[in-house]
Amino acid sequence: MKKILFLLLFLPLLVSAQNTAFKKKSEQIDQYLGKLMKDWNIPGLALVIVEKDKVIYSKGFGYRDLENQLPVTESTLFPIASNTKLFTATLATLLAAEGKLSLDVPVKQYLPELNFNNPELNFKVTLRDMLSHRTGLPAYDGIWLNAPFKRKDLVHKVYFMKPSLGFREGYIYNNNMYTIAGIAMEEITGKSWEQNIRERIFEPLGMSSSGFTGIGPTPQNHSLSYFESEEGGKLKARTFLAQSESLAPAGNIYSNMLDMSKWLSLQINGGKYKGNQVISAAAIEETKIPNAISDKRGRYDELSNSIYALGRILQSYKGTKMISHTGSIDGFYSNMTYLPKDSIALFIVHNSMSAGSLRSVMNLPIIDILQNRELTDWSGRYRKDYLEAQERNKKAVDEINASKVKNTYPSHPANAYTGKFIHPVYGEIQIGLTDNNLHVQYRSLNATLHHWHYDQFITMDDGKGFPDMRINFLTNDKGEIDKILTRPFGDPATEFIRVK
């Protein structure tokens, strides 16, 4: 009886001490995030931390809309970008656990119309290969970026993607393969990827605010993202949208801290949420199985080499096992991290393009604080890298400008450059003429072409965040303009053939 009485008396003191200890940690996290935002000129940021089945921290900082001074809160919606991949991978492992598909048979069994450039891949590539980035296919991000075509059109474009590594020879991050995996699951279930995610994950978890970019109107409390303009580094809202329907299974979910806390809780508790087994424990564990070494070299002593599982990266940080993934799209950058031994998970997101490189390390000082360790200045390290990269980029631009041959002229009259130019993977480029000025229309870009030298033209920063394009017009044996050579969104140089 005395022991019970002692425990009853001591328990409130213990809880109070724990609350006081975390209050100090919470204040440290606030300070860290405040400094991070100041050092990197980040307009808005949000963080949620879950321990076991409880939200222990959930806050927004700064602004989701600078012009109208609208603050970031825990209900502000952000794209989670490639953190979408764990949802897609979980759907695959869930369907596998239910016997509706296999992760380890050729995906062509589910998509007969899928054909790779290399016949070997037709007989070998599985969903597991696609979901762990080990097909040997390069990224080809210019295919989905800002793309106007339907998702299933991607299936026929895969044939034109040439491998740069042998099958399972190495790791190459590939968003397109996640989309193909999503299409395969659509065929298997008879439902869209979005419908599967909503019915199997969002609704059971009560993630009522989460949705999919491009499906319905943009919610009013969705954050804007910002980039630093060339005029004095002033922050400007980005209006160019890279996301498209063809990206969806790889990166189109948006969410907020309230909803993401439920997803984090499910990860910590083996697929359970509020006592209900939403996702089978076996399906959750399958996403944690290592499949491909994603970082063979390693750069910092504090971090081990990383291994890609399914929509997750396995790594250790200062001896602590860490399961994480990052996301980046349209000026939004996020990090989702799970510490299995501590039963703690966090999700952090911000809306600044210039601070994009932070996405892989902005979680680490928070882990240091939670584990009562000395903070490593990851922000300082990456800021130094960023400034050095800025200098290199400036020199590269200066070198490009110096390479311009002065006093040259186009070889043809302006109207000879107009027409439609197509590529079976990247689509259509339209060159038009207005008031004797050439202009280019490619996907959502509609911009004036400025003469560079000879038959090369460029677009210039439109202040909206659309990447600049450099277009080189090529001629046939008769001297007629018949091709365009350009790099669609940074992909390898590609020829577009004139059709009219």
Side-chain angles (χ1 to χ4, degrees):
M1 184 67 182
K2 289 182 179 179
K3 287 183 179 180
I4 294 172
L5 183 60
F6 172 78
L7 287 172
L8 290 173
L9 292 171
F10 180 70
L11 189 59
L13 297 175
L14 179 62
V15 172
S16 177
Q18 289 173 336
N19 289 341
T20 301
F22 186 75
K23 183 180 179 183
K24 290 180 180 179
K25 291 180 180 180
S26 179
E27 290 171 353
Q28 282 183 281
I29 292 170
D30 289 350
Q31 291 169 5
Y32 158 66
L33 294 177
K35 187 175 187 305
L36 191 76
M37 294 177 70
K38 181 179 178 182
D39 291 347
W40 288 84
N41 198 19
I42 297 172
L45 180 149
L47 168 67
V48 62
I49 306 173
V50 176
E51 183 177 23
K52 295 180 180 176
D53 58 355
K54 293 183 179 179
V55 176
I56 60 172
Y57 186 103
S58 183
K59 285 186 182 181
F61 299 82
Y63 297 97
R64 64 178 174 88
D65 183 332
L66 278 173
E67 183 181 359
N68 295 299
Q69 293 288 283
L70 300 176
V72 172
T73 69
E74 62 180 357
S75 62
T76 299
L77 293 165
F78 293 89
I80 70 169
S82 283
N83 280 299
T84 298
K85 288 181 172 67
L86 183 56
F87 287 82
T88 298
T90 300
L91 177 62
T93 60
L94 175 61
L95 293 173
E98 294 173 348
K100 295 176 182 176
L101 62 78
S102 171
L103 297 170
D104 299 305
V105 302
V107 72
K108 196 170 169 65
Q109 289 190 21
Y110 307 119
L111 285 174
E113 65 271 40
L114 176 67
N115 287 296
F116 291 90
N117 183 273
N118 180 343
E120 176 193 16
L121 301 182
N122 289 332
F123 300 103
K124 292 184 177 180
V125 171
T126 66
L127 285 170
R128 189 185 300 277
D129 295 318
M130 289 180 163
L131 298 174
S132 56
H133 306 295
R134 61 184 191 186
T135 63
L137 293 175
Y140 283 103
D141 283 332
I143 295 174
W144 60 262
L145 205 149
N146 193 232
F149 56 81
K150 296 296 182 183
R151 185 180 308 156
K152 199 163 183 183
D153 292 345
L154 182 64
V155 174
H156 302 289
K157 295 179 184 291
V158 170
Y159 177 78
F160 298 94
M161 302 180 193
K162 297 180 180 179
S164 58
L165 287 178
F167 177 59
R168 295 181 185 165
E169 188 178 289
Y171 168 90
I172 307 177
Y173 196 84
N174 193 307
N175 287 300
N176 292 303
M177 292 299 100
Y178 259 77
T179 296
I180 295 296
I183 294 169
M185 287 182 268
E186 290 180 332
E187 292 296 310
I188 291 163
T189 62
K191 298 178 179 180
S192 71
W193 171 82
E194 289 87 351
Q195 190 177 357
N196 277 314
I197 295 297
R198 191 173 294 283
E199 291 179 0
R200 301 305 301 269
I201 299 176
F202 285 179
E203 290 177 359
L205 287 177
M207 295 178 68
S208 56
S209 297
S210 300
F212 312 96
T213 301
I215 304 295
T218 302
Q220 287 189 344
N221 60 335
H222 195 290
S223 178
L224 298 175
S225 67
Y226 293 84
F227 66 98
E228 292 183 351
S229 68
E230 294 179 0
E231 303 95 42
K234 182 181 178 182
L235 288 172
K236 298 184 71 172
R238 175 180 168 131
T239 57
F240 167 64
L241 190 68
Q243 294 174 80
S244 65
E245 181 188 336
S246 58
L247 174 70
N252 268 24
I253 289 176
Y254 61 76
S255 192
N256 58 23
M257 300 308 103
L258 297 172
D259 278 6
M260 287 302 290
S261 69
K262 301 168 184 178
W263 182 235
L264 296 177
S265 180
L266 178 137
Q267 305 305 321
I268 295 169
N269 295 287
K272 287 184 178 180
Y273 180 67
K274 292 188 174 179
N276 298 318
Q277 194 75 50
V278 176
I279 306 290
S280 71
I284 294 292
E285 288 303 309
E286 187 71 49
T287 65
K288 301 176 188 176
I289 295 175
N291 290 297
I293 300 173
S294 50
D295 177 17
K296 293 182 179 180
R297 295 180 180 275
R299 183 179 177 190
Y300 297 105
D301 292 339
E302 296 93 339
L303 288 164
S304 71
N305 302 89
S306 58
I307 304 173
Y308 205 92
L310 299 179
R312 302 180 187 266
I313 292 173
L314 312 180
Q315 199 172 21
S316 67
Y317 173 55
K318 296 182 180 179
T320 298
K321 184 177 180 181
M322 179 174 73
I323 302 175
S324 64
H325 206 284
T326 62
S328 57
I329 194 77
D330 293 331
F332 298 97
Y333 300 89
S334 60
N335 184 300
M336 177 176 158
T337 298
Y338 167 42
L339 307 179
K341 287 190 176 180
D342 300 279
S343 295
I344 288 177
L346 66 89
F347 179 77
I348 181 172
V349 60
H350 70 71
N351 59 0
S352 169
M353 287 186 67
S354 62
S357 63
L358 280 176
R359 64 189 180 276
S360 59
V361 297
M362 60 187 177
N363 58 325
L364 301 180
I366 299 169
I367 295 172
D368 287 338
I369 292 168
L370 294 173
Q371 299 200 332
N372 300 308
R373 295 191 297 223
E374 181 180 351
L375 269 69
T376 298
D377 185 15
W378 291 102
S379 173
R381 290 180 183 181
Y382 272 63
R383 188 68 183 171
K384 180 174 178 290
D385 288 348
Y386 171 76
L387 294 174
E388 289 174 353
Q390 291 287 89
E391 281 300 310
R392 289 194 300 272
N393 290 341
K394 185 178 182 300
K395 288 180 181 178
V397 170
D398 290 342
E399 288 173 3
I400 291 171
N401 289 335
S403 72
K404 180 178 180 179
V405 182
K406 297 180 180 179
N407 301 318
T408 65
Y409 302 93
S411 63
H412 292 66
N415 61 2
Y417 296 88
T418 62
K420 183 190 294 185
F421 300 78
I422 64 170
H423 186 272
V425 172
Y426 294 103
E428 175 186 313
I429 293 177
Q430 187 80 39
I431 305 295
L433 185 65
T434 304
D435 297 329
N436 209 37
N437 290 315
L438 290 172
H439 57 85
V440 57
Q441 184 170 344
Y442 182 51
R443 301 185 181 177
S444 68
L445 172 68
N446 195 333
T448 299
L449 280 175
H450 302 271
H451 182 246
W452 180 251
H453 61 203
Y454 301 113
D455 282 336
Q456 286 188 20
F457 293 77
I458 61 171
T459 62
M460 293 184 178
D461 184 10
D462 59 1
K464 299 177 182 178
F466 202 109
D468 294 341
M469 286 187 73
R470 180 178 293 270
I471 292 177
N472 189 10
F473 289 90
L474 306 177
T475 59
N476 59 21
D477 292 341
K478 297 180 180 179
E480 301 164 333
I481 303 292
D482 70 338
K483 295 185 187 78
I484 277 175
L485 183 69
T486 190
R487 297 183 61 193
F489 302 105
D491 274 12
T494 301
E495 289 186 353
F496 289 69
I497 308 300
R498 186 175 192 164
V499 293
K500 67 175 183 178

